Amino acid sequence: QQWDSCQEFFAHWEKNSEGSFAKAFHNYRNLQEFEELFREHFRDFLAGRVDQGIGQEVLSREVRRWKSSPFRGLNVFDFEHAPIFHGRTRAIGEVLEALEGQVRAQRPFVLVVGASGSGKSSLVRAGVLPLLTQAETIEGIGLWRWTVTRPGAGGSSGDCFDALAAALLEPFALPVLADPESQNAIRDLASELREHYDSVALRVRDALDHAAREWKTRHSHFLEQRERHLRGSGRSEDADLARQQKERLELPKARLALVVDQLEELFTSSFSPEVRQKYISALAGLVRSGRVFVLATIRSDFYVSYQEFPDLIELTKPSGKVDLRPPTPNEIRNMIRLPAEAAGLHFEQDRETGQRLEDALRDTASATPESLPLLEHVLSLLYDQQSTRGDDLLRWSDYRELGELKGALAKHAEAVFSTLGPDDQRAFPLVMRHLVTLGQGEEELPN
């Protein structure tokens, strides 16, 4: 029956005498091209089916899908910012394809390598993770828990295991891992991860099975109530459908997606070699359990440090390493234009040259792809300027006053520095020496 239906579908779309398709499909080479084609053609599809008068009225309205600033400044894009994260569709597809290959090899681990300022963290947090954790993005997996950690997130009072334990106990992760009788659940779980990571992997498995059972119970109860409501409303056919859905409901496969962001902190912080090795062993143990999918990011100049650990090298085999390439000019344009569109913003056109501000930003950022944080910073400042006026227009005059792309951050830093007291200003050189780390490549660039 399915094959007959498939044949009928194709027969319906074969319009010419040669039996080939006529205007029935479009080719695309990657996820980015699909996104662009879909956006363009779906808008055309809607325009062709909406009454012309109504359509013009709708198009003339200011649609604001994102109520606050769509630009993150010097902050990372996170899970909740997925609706305004654009321009990295190709890279998202590459990471997901790599992860699918690693799952087949029973090593669900992918390392994203890129230069400082290339947008690795935002890519994984706001691009890959929200898509990965939808049911069936990875075939057969219907339920996801997720969390994000950084080795250095524990601060001066903790270590990488404290940060990992805190992440695992987050509400969207596996809070049931906490011992209800513990006075300090994070500390105790960190200690278990440090010394007995195998037992934690087993408890993660049990916690995910528990989450799957809870999901099935909730959905079964929902469908039962829905059937009762539909029968009470006289909609017997819909009620029968709800009953059938309840009868077919299966226990979903549940997995945990763990993002280990800025893995280089394991090497730049003051962790001992023993702690580093134990942390890597714990990550490897979680991955080998098959229940935890790990996405890690690392600066390319610290990849040498990464290669010193055989466990990590083994985890990336056969296809678990993704080199994040610089965005193309078109991708940078989408990073600028699409978030602005979501917030109802417009870019001014220069009266003398005719150049639009978004195009100037794209061209300048394309010349130095590692300047993505600078681009977001300038866009954020431009948003703040228009916000005081309330005109939804990002202006050339504001851009020039800010010092344009390369000068805006320096001008902002100088303004902040001038607000510090004399003692703070004198302490600044010492603080900077502790904040700056040198890369381990030949040029040893500061970061």
Side-chain angles (χ1 to χ4, degrees), residues 187-252:
R187 182 196 60 199
D188 292 346
L189 180 57
S191 178
E192 189 177 0
L193 282 164
R194 188 183 295 109
E195 304 299 336
H196 306 288
Y197 61 82
D198 286 339
S199 67
V200 176
L202 291 174
R203 294 210 291 124
V204 166
R205 180 200 63 188
D206 293 341
L208 288 168
D209 289 343
H210 175 75
R213 290 191 295 271
E214 279 194 333
W215 180 93
K216 184 179 179 181
T217 299
R218 287 196 306 269
H219 280 68
S220 179
H221 182 63
F222 167 78
L223 290 171
E224 186 177 326
Q225 288 185 320
R226 178 173 173 78
E227 179 190 359
R228 189 180 301 116
H229 172 74
L230 290 171
R231 291 203 188 283
S233 302
R235 298 166 59 184
S236 58
E237 290 186 3
D238 292 335
D240 289 340
L241 180 60
R243 176 179 55 78
Q244 292 169 10
Q245 290 175 331
K246 178 177 178 293
E247 291 173 352
R248 292 196 301 266
L249 201 61
E250 296 181 353
L251 200 66

Side-chain angles (χ1 to χ4, degrees), residues 255-392:
R255 297 293 184 268
L256 172 68
L258 171 63
V259 172
V260 183
D261 196 15
Q262 301 180 39
L263 187 60
E264 66 271 7
E265 289 183 348
L266 193 62
F267 313 115
T268 60
S269 302
S270 57
F271 302 135
S272 68
E274 181 185 6
V275 168
R276 293 175 185 173
Q277 182 58 62
K278 286 187 175 183
Y279 186 82
I280 290 167
S281 297
L283 288 182
L286 292 173
V287 170
R288 288 169 182 147
S289 73
R291 298 298 188 95
V292 182
F293 287 31
V294 175
L295 299 170
T297 70
I298 191 170
R299 265 173 32 198
S300 51
D301 46 335
F302 280 93
Y303 187 62
V304 174
S305 299
Y306 175 94
Q307 291 178 304
E308 294 175 3
F309 295 89
D311 280 347
L312 290 178
I313 296 175
E314 187 67 22
L315 286 178
T316 56
K317 294 178 181 179
S319 58
K321 176 176 172 285
V322 175
D323 292 304
L324 182 58
R325 292 174 287 178
T328 65
N330 187 54
E331 288 174 328
I332 291 178
R333 180 174 181 269
N334 286 339
M335 293 177 187
I336 298 169
R337 180 176 61 87
L338 296 180
E341 184 181 278
L345 302 172
H346 308 279
F347 292 88
E348 187 179 38
Q349 185 174 10
D350 190 289
R351 293 181 179 180
E352 294 182 3
T353 65
Q355 186 181 33
R356 296 185 63 81
L357 180 55
E358 62 182 295
D359 295 331
L361 287 165
R362 176 202 61 198
D363 294 343
T364 306
S366 297
T368 51
E370 67 276 7
S371 64
L372 292 182
L374 296 180
L375 174 63
E376 283 294 319
H377 176 65
V378 168
L379 287 168
S380 181
L381 294 178
L382 289 172
Y383 176 87
D384 292 340
Q385 294 282 43
Q386 70 76 32
S387 185
T388 59
R389 297 188 301 267
D391 60 5
D392 296 332

